[in-house]
Amino acid sequence: MNYLQLDENGVKNILIDSKFFNRNEDLSIEEIGDGNINMVFRVTGVSKSLIVKQAYPYVRTAGKSWPLNTRRSVIEADTLEVQSRISPGLVPEIYLRNNDLAVIVMEDLSHLGIMRTGMNEMKEYPNFTNHISTFLANQLFFTSDIYLNSEAKKKNVVQFYNYELCKITEDLIFTDPYYYAKRNKINPELKSYLKNDFWQNNNLKLEIAKLKYKFLSEAQCLLHGDLHTGSIFADDKETKVFDAEFAFYGPSGFDIGLLIGNIFINYFSWNGMDIPSEKIFQYQKYLLCMISEIYSKFENKFIKNWENNIQDISFKSKNYIDYYFKNIFIDSLGFASAEMIRRMHGFAHNIDIDRIQNLKTRSLIQVQVLKTASELMVKRYDFENILEVIDFIINN
Ligand code: SR1
Ligand code: MG
């Protein structure tokens, strides 16, 4: 079958041809995608609804001027298959995939909410740290050289090569924010800080270069590749991680770092909101607990995986695991900082900060995030544990 860009009718026809719905059933369809990259349709029939995701041959929010290979849909479906095998129940279920059309038909999770939206309404997620720590511990362990044999792991690296989407991350996270780049979207009130301060910070430029090189060269485990709070559906019971088109084999600290970075951004965003300070204090406290729990539960679950499954004699020593955690911790702080920075003035912001309407107030929060993240990136080697990082955040 040749690739064909689907419109609403095309989507309906595929679902009818594949017997998800009857030909004479009354179907409603809406395009609900709010991400930067793909088209997402929700199709509702008499007794069920489904999601159809298609990769168009360009970046959705930029249009045809930014072409993008549709193979990302194959990466996403392959990744979801791995994730649902190693972390059952934590990713959307795939009902049908068509690699030629770059289409995935999957379960509709609209009974859950996007976590970023919920966090901007001060929602709490009592099961989230439990779920996401399982997701991270399983992904970092079961897809890495610590668990897989050398041949299987190397085959995975080939299967999940994803250079076009990686290039987006290399540019948007590791390069553009540190220089004047055309694609950056800069709050006019932030310009002078960037020009006179942020872009002059050569220590920071050295550290981001080290992190970029890690991202380019360290194929340690299969990553989600874009694990921010907009890639997670959740409520008080369930968590589902979606949008895996950026998946590839990369540095193990990357996903944890991105996630923590996004929670920190939400934390700082409240400083610019006109809400009673006691409410803000309580929610910020909740967010910091969330980060500390994610980290400690992740480590405990990773250790359990290791105790129960380790085969390779070289990696059996406790000393090695201590060394491994130390490295992941330092890397994750670096990637968290990089994510915080790029969301302030890079191409892809997030709504947590951009909902602050007054541009001057927004710039004050952006400067606070940029200063904190720059210091965290440069000093990341000095922290012993996540509680020290949280203390540092509280004092900034
Ligand atoms: C052109 S893509 C911009 C951003 O959207 C995705 O969700 C990733 O975060 C990427 O960096
Ligand atoms: Mg996405």
Side-chain angles (χ1 to χ4, degrees):
M1 189 183 287
N2 288 334
Y3 179 82
L4 173 74
Q5 210 167 299
L6 298 174
D7 59 10
E8 276 84 352
N9 273 334
V11 169
K12 277 188 195 170
N13 285 336
I14 284 196
L15 294 180
I16 292 166
D17 291 346
S18 311
K19 311 269 184 256
F20 286 106
F21 297 106
N22 294 323
R23 190 154 297 279
N24 45 15
E25 194 169 335
D26 194 10
L27 295 181
S28 71
I29 176 161
E30 45 175 345
E31 206 282 312
I32 55 163
D34 65 352
N36 287 304
I37 309 269
N38 295 305
M39 303 300 284
V40 182
F41 300 90
R42 183 196 291 125
V43 185
T44 309
V46 176
S47 60
K48 61 173 179 282
S49 60
L50 296 172
I51 296 296
V52 178
K53 182 166 178 178
Q54 188 182 36
Y56 279 8
Y58 51 83
V59 171
R60 171 203 171 98
T61 48
K64 290 186 178 155
S65 64
W66 191 338
L68 195 61
N69 198 314
T70 57
R71 184 177 164 273
R72 62 189 188 274
S73 171
V74 178
I75 293 281
E76 177 168 3
D78 284 356
T79 304
L80 283 171
E81 284 173 12
V82 172
Q83 290 168 336
S84 74
R85 202 167 60 238
I86 62 178
S87 298
L90 295 179
V91 294
E93 194 180 333
I94 296 188
Y95 298 137
L96 178 84
R97 56 181 288 185
N98 183 319
N99 291 348
D100 296 332
L101 286 174
V103 157
I104 305 173
V105 180
M106 59 185 125
E107 70 176 308
D108 181 8
L109 294 169
S110 42
H111 64 287
L112 308 174
I114 303 271
M115 223 181 139
R116 183 183 303 290
T117 313
M119 285 168 67
N120 285 336
E121 295 161 1
M122 292 191 168
K123 282 215 168 87
E124 298 196 4
Y125 297 94
N127 281 306
F128 175 67
T129 61
N130 198 17
H131 291 152
I132 204 69
S133 55
T134 300
F135 179 88
L136 290 166
N138 291 350
Q139 190 154 287
L140 268 66
F141 183 82
F142 289 111
T143 69
S144 77
D145 282 298
I146 298 185
Y147 173 72
L148 292 174
N149 72 53
S150 158
E151 181 185 346
K153 190 275 189 156
K154 285 179 178 64
K155 283 183 175 162
N156 282 1
V157 174
V158 174
Q159 180 187 356
F160 289 97
Y161 81 91
N162 194 4
Y163 63 88
E164 275 203 325
L165 281 280
C166 284
K167 180 73 169 76
I168 291 181
T169 302
E170 289 150 24
D171 291 344
L172 298 193
I173 299 190
F174 296 104
T175 314
D176 292 2
Y178 299 86
Y179 302 90
Y180 172 80
K182 271 201 176 138
R183 269 186 304 215
N184 286 338
K185 292 183 189 153
I186 303 176
N187 172 0
E189 297 286 344
L190 185 66
K191 270 189 184 149
S192 65
Y193 171 74
L194 291 175
K195 220 170 134 209
N196 302 324
D197 197 317
F198 186 81
W199 285 332
Q200 306 299 327
N201 188 341
N202 288 327
N203 291 336
L204 186 67
K205 286 187 178 174
L206 171 62
E207 295 310 318
I208 196 65
K210 292 182 197 169
L211 289 162
K212 179 173 174 177
Y213 194 73
K214 255 182 196 299
F215 183 84
L216 285 161
S217 59
E218 291 189 2
Q220 294 178 330
C221 73
L222 180 63
L223 295 172
H224 175 280
D226 194 24
L227 190 59
H228 56 81
T229 50
S231 300
I232 299 169
F233 279 117
D235 68 4
D236 52 352
K237 294 187 195 69
E238 289 181 89
T239 305
K240 305 271 183 184
V241 178
F242 67 104
D243 252 6
E245 64 264 358
F246 280 81
F248 77 114
Y249 259 75
S252 298
F254 188 73
D255 280 350
I256 312 178
L258 251 57
L259 180 63
I260 289 178
N262 277 274
I263 302 170
F264 280 144
I265 291 173
N266 188 266
Y267 171 94
F268 283 110
S269 74
W270 294 105
N271 296 344
M273 302 301 289
D274 195 10
I275 291 178
S277 56
E278 182 53 26
K279 257 186 120 181
I280 290 181
F281 175 76
Q282 288 306 332
Y283 196 65
Q284 286 182 322
K285 199 166 129 198
Y286 166 73
L287 294 174
L288 297 179
C289 283
M290 184 194 270
I291 288 175
S292 138
E293 277 184 24
I294 290 171
Y295 218 94
S296 59
K297 288 180 183 174
F298 152 71
E299 286 194 341
N300 290 338
K301 289 175 185 177
F302 188 97
I303 287 175
K304 281 225 168 69
N305 285 340
W306 171 72
E307 285 170 348
N308 295 335
N309 300 285
I310 191 78
Q311 300 288 336
D312 190 326
I313 192 166
S314 309
F315 303 133
K316 275 190 178 170
S317 91
K318 176 79 173 61
N319 288 345
Y320 179 74
I321 287 299
D322 291 344
Y323 162 84
Y324 171 91
F325 278 142
K326 181 80 192 157
N327 284 324
I328 290 206
F329 180 62
I330 294 171
D331 289 355
S332 66
L333 298 183
F335 293 127
S337 314
E339 174 70 358
M340 291 162 77
I341 288 168
R342 72 98 165 214
R343 295 290 186 187
M344 297 305 108
H345 60 277
F347 173 80
H349 291 210
N350 53 36
I351 190 68
D352 312 43
I353 298 290
D354 285 5
R355 68 188 162 142
I356 303 169
Q357 294 298 317
N358 181 292
L359 292 186
K360 182 69 202 160
T361 312
R362 190 191 296 170
S363 76
L364 295 176
I365 306 304
Q366 287 171 323
V367 170
Q368 191 182 20
V369 173
L370 289 172
K371 281 188 172 160
T372 308
S374 303
E375 201 179 332
L376 182 61
M377 190 188 290
V378 173
K379 292 188 177 158
R380 66 189 185 282
Y381 313 94
D382 302 340
F383 295 94
E384 284 296 321
N385 54 52
I386 196 70
L387 294 178
E388 286 187 10
V389 177
I390 286 172
D391 268 351
F392 165 79
I393 294 290
I394 292 171
N395 293 316
N396 260 272

